């Protein structure tokens, strides 16, 4: 059976329901008059090569230090920042990446995320990709979840599930898989729903991969078992 991204979305959505991803602490930001979208940008860097549980601990430390905004991060020394984000792992690298991102936002956009997320998004994506340690997955997560830009995020979970579900792609590259998902979803849903659909489908894939489509998959209870042709089901 041919599985398409829109079939995948329908099956996962009816099993898991709305996942409301990406989480931000709105109460914190309304109290501190800070931009909640910056918490998403921080989260996309902190979540590299670690679990969300560890990211939450690092974000909690930043909140305790009242450092969940562009200018507050800029005021911290490298050592202070590494201490705060330590639970997320690779903290030296991530502190450098966060400081570079912050400097870029202040220098180029005066710390104003409205300026970052307006204008030519192809250009913005290229700018983000030019920053050290920001690859396509991180840049696209920033654009989709913080910038409301309809661009689908591909991660290792998506690649694994594409293989197992035999979602047809001509090659394994990030761009090719992204194109396959966007082409199909854009065909099935109106353009004003795409940001929501892209966000939700990425979150659904992550959830399904964590609960069922693990390295050793739990196919017998997976909500995709009726359409999946992975060998363990035969
Ligand atoms: S049925 Fe098995 S292989 Fe297929 S998506 Fe579910 S867990 Fe993965």
């Amino acid at each position: 059976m041919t599985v398409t991204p829109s079939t995948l979305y329908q099956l996962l959505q009816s099993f898991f329901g709305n996942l409301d991803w990406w989480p931000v602490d709105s109460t914190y930001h309304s109290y501190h008059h800070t931009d909640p979208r910056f918490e998403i940008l921080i989260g996309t860097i902190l979540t590299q090569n670690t679990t969300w549980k560890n990211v939450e601990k690092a974000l909690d430390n930043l909140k305790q230090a009242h450092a969940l905004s562009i200018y507050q991060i800029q005021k911290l020394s490298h050592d202070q920042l590494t201490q705060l984000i330590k639970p997320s792992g690779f903290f030296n690298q991530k502190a450098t990446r966060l400081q570079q991102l912050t400097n870029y936002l202040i220098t180029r956009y005066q710390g104003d995320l409205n300026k970052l997320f307006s204008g030519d998004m192809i250009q913005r994506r290229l700018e983000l990709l030019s920053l050290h340690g920001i690859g396509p997955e991180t840049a696209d997560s920033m654009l989709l979840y913080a910038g409301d830009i309809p661009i689908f995020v591909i991660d290792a979970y998506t690649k694994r599930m594409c293989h197992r579900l035999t979602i047809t792609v001509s090659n394994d590259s990030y761009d090719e898989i992204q194109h396959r998902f966007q082409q199909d979803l854009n065909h099935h849903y109106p353009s004003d729903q795409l940001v929501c659909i892209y966000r939700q489908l990425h979150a659904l894939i992550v959830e399904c991969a964590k609960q069922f489509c693990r390295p050793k998959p739990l196919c017998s209870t997976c909500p995709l078992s009726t359409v999946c042709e992975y060998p363990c089901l035969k």
Side-chain angles (χ1 to χ4, degrees):
M1 178 171 189
T2 308
V3 182
T4 62
S6 47
T7 318
L8 185 62
Y9 173 73
Q10 285 155 18
L11 289 168
L12 292 178
Q13 175 70 19
S14 64
F15 184 82
F16 289 106
N18 280 335
L19 297 176
D20 282 336
W21 197 256
W22 195 288
V24 287
D25 187 342
S26 307
T27 312
Y28 173 95
H29 294 290
S30 105
Y31 183 79
H32 291 274
H33 305 290
T34 47
D35 191 330
R37 293 173 296 180
F38 189 59
E39 182 176 344
I40 299 175
L41 299 189
I42 295 175
T44 63
I45 289 178
L46 295 183
T47 200
Q48 294 171 338
N49 302 307
T50 193
T51 63
W52 188 252
K53 235 180 200 138
N54 293 332
V55 175
E56 284 177 324
K57 289 179 198 158
L59 287 172
D60 280 345
N61 288 347
L62 290 168
K63 281 177 208 166
Q64 302 274 332
H66 306 300
L68 215 49
S69 80
I70 295 173
Y71 288 100
Q72 285 152 341
I73 291 262
Q74 196 201 28
K75 284 182 197 159
L76 295 173
S77 69
H78 186 82
D79 283 352
Q80 286 171 320
L81 188 53
T82 54
Q83 284 307 311
L84 292 170
I85 65 167
K86 208 166 199 167
S88 71
F90 302 98
F91 40 87
N92 262 317
Q93 264 181 19
K94 290 180 181 177
T96 304
R97 288 171 189 180
L98 282 175
Q99 287 176 320
Q100 282 184 357
L101 174 68
T102 305
N103 290 338
Y104 155 75
L105 292 172
I106 291 172
T107 311
R108 184 133 173 81
Y109 297 106
Q110 298 77 51
D112 182 350
L113 295 184
N114 290 328
K115 290 183 183 167
L116 171 70
F117 294 125
S118 61
D120 181 354
M121 278 310 122
I122 294 174
Q123 176 60 30
R124 297 292 184 277
R125 186 175 190 262
L126 288 174
E127 285 177 19
L128 290 169
L129 288 172
S130 73
L131 301 177
H132 181 69
I134 296 191
E137 182 186 335
T138 304
D140 291 344
S141 298
M142 290 177 175
L143 293 170
L144 176 64
Y145 287 101
D148 290 345
I149 310 299
I151 185 157
F152 194 71
V153 178
I154 306 301
D155 62 359
Y157 293 136
T158 314
K159 286 186 179 177
R160 183 200 294 161
M161 286 177 61
C162 274
H163 274 298
R164 291 179 174 175
L165 287 159
T166 57
I167 290 179
T168 354
V169 276
S170 57
N171 65 56
D172 239 3
S173 72
Y174 187 99
D175 291 349
E176 177 58 31
I177 299 174
Q178 184 180 59
H179 176 71
R180 175 76 181 96
F181 273 76
Q182 292 188 172
Q183 191 186 40
D184 182 68
L185 295 168
N186 294 5
H187 178 70
H188 285 91
Y189 296 97
S191 56
D192 61 353
Q193 288 181 21
L194 289 176
V195 168
C196 287
I197 304 273
Y198 284 8
R199 285 177 174 169
Q200 175 68 356
L201 179 54
H202 177 63
L204 289 166
I205 288 172
V206 171
E207 201 52 41
C208 186
K210 282 183 182 166
Q211 288 193 33
F212 302 102
C213 205
R214 300 171 177 180
K216 192 172 176 196
L218 304 173
C219 299
S220 58
T221 47
C222 175
L224 303 173
S225 59
T226 51
V227 294
C228 188
E229 295 188 359
Y230 190 63
C232 75
L233 288 165
K234 291 178 181 165

